[in-house]
């Protein structure tokens, strides 16, 4: 039903298909957040990987996606391979409140959260440009 993304879309003209609206939604968030070529992104609540895969294909982003659903991680991993980005996108079954990333993995340019930003959690050692991109707001700190 949802396709490559598990979230709503952005109907700019009202004539978009569901898939076009979903892609436009992610594209607009990326543009608003200032995602750049080669960015390191933590995708919290990555679902079936659509956001990470889009960012990897569009921006050459190196993404780590986390979600608490093993089935979603299985589907996301398959989709990354199918889309040819499995060397730059990783997915982990992980709770954002109890992240267990290695020191090498634990540094990001952006934290990407779409339709999950109402969840409360704590991030350790988010470094570099320090961007938090959600569908609710974009924060710089």
């Amino acid at each position: 039903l949802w396709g490559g993304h598990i979230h709503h879309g952005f109907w700019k003209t009202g004539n978009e298909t569901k898939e076009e609206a979903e892609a436009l939604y992610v594209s607009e968030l990326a543009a608003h957040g200032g995602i750049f070529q080669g960015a390191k992104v933590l995708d919290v609540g990555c679902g079936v990987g659509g956001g990470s895969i889009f960012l990897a294909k569009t921006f050459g982003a190196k993404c780590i996606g986390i979600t608490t659903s093993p089935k979603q991680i299985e589907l996301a991993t398959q989709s990354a391979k199918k889309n040819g980005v499995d060397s730059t996108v990783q997915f982990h079954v992980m709770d954002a409140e109890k992240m267990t990333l290695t020191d090498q993995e634990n540094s990001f340019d952006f934290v990407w959260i779409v339709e999950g930003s109402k969840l409360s959690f704590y991030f350790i050692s988010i470094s570099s440009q320090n961007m938090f991109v959600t569908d609710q707001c974009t924060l710089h700190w």
Side-chain angles (χ1 to χ4, degrees):
L1 172 68
W2 286 101
H5 301 277
I6 303 179
H7 57 73
H8 302 288
F10 176 50
W11 279 262
K12 192 171 189 173
T13 68
N15 296 318
E16 293 84 1
T17 66
K18 175 185 70 69
E19 292 77 14
E20 290 169 337
E22 288 173 340
L24 185 56
Y25 186 61
V26 174
S27 181
E28 290 289 321
L29 286 173
H32 180 72
I35 303 287
F36 54 82
Q37 286 294 323
K40 289 181 66 181
V41 179
L42 174 64
D43 184 357
V44 177
C46 66
V48 295
S52 289
I53 292 166
F54 171 86
L55 295 173
K57 288 177 76 171
T58 305
F59 298 99
K62 295 169 183 65
C63 301
I64 294 178
I66 63 171
T67 183
T68 57
S69 168
K71 185 62 177 177
Q72 287 180 344
I73 293 299
E74 178 186 332
L75 294 171
T77 301
Q78 290 170 2
S79 186
K81 185 171 185 170
K82 179 181 172 185
N83 282 277
V85 294
D86 53 317
S87 64
T88 57
V89 176
Q90 301 173 36
F91 297 104
H92 302 284
V93 175
M94 195 176 299
D95 184 332
E97 292 182 357
K98 301 171 188 161
M99 291 195 323
T100 56
L101 299 172
T102 66
D103 287 342
Q104 184 178 6
E105 293 174 318
N106 206 21
S107 175
F108 304 96
D109 300 308
F110 297 91
V111 177
W112 179 268
I113 304 174
V114 176
E115 295 186 25
S117 60
K118 294 174 182 70
L119 304 173
S120 63
F121 46 81
Y122 172 74
F123 289 108
I124 25 176
S125 187
I126 297 172
S127 64
S128 193
Q129 190 172 332
N130 296 320
M131 292 288 296
F132 182 80
V133 180
T134 80
D135 53 333
Q136 304 296 315
C137 62
T138 301
L139 302 174
H140 303 261
W141 69 91

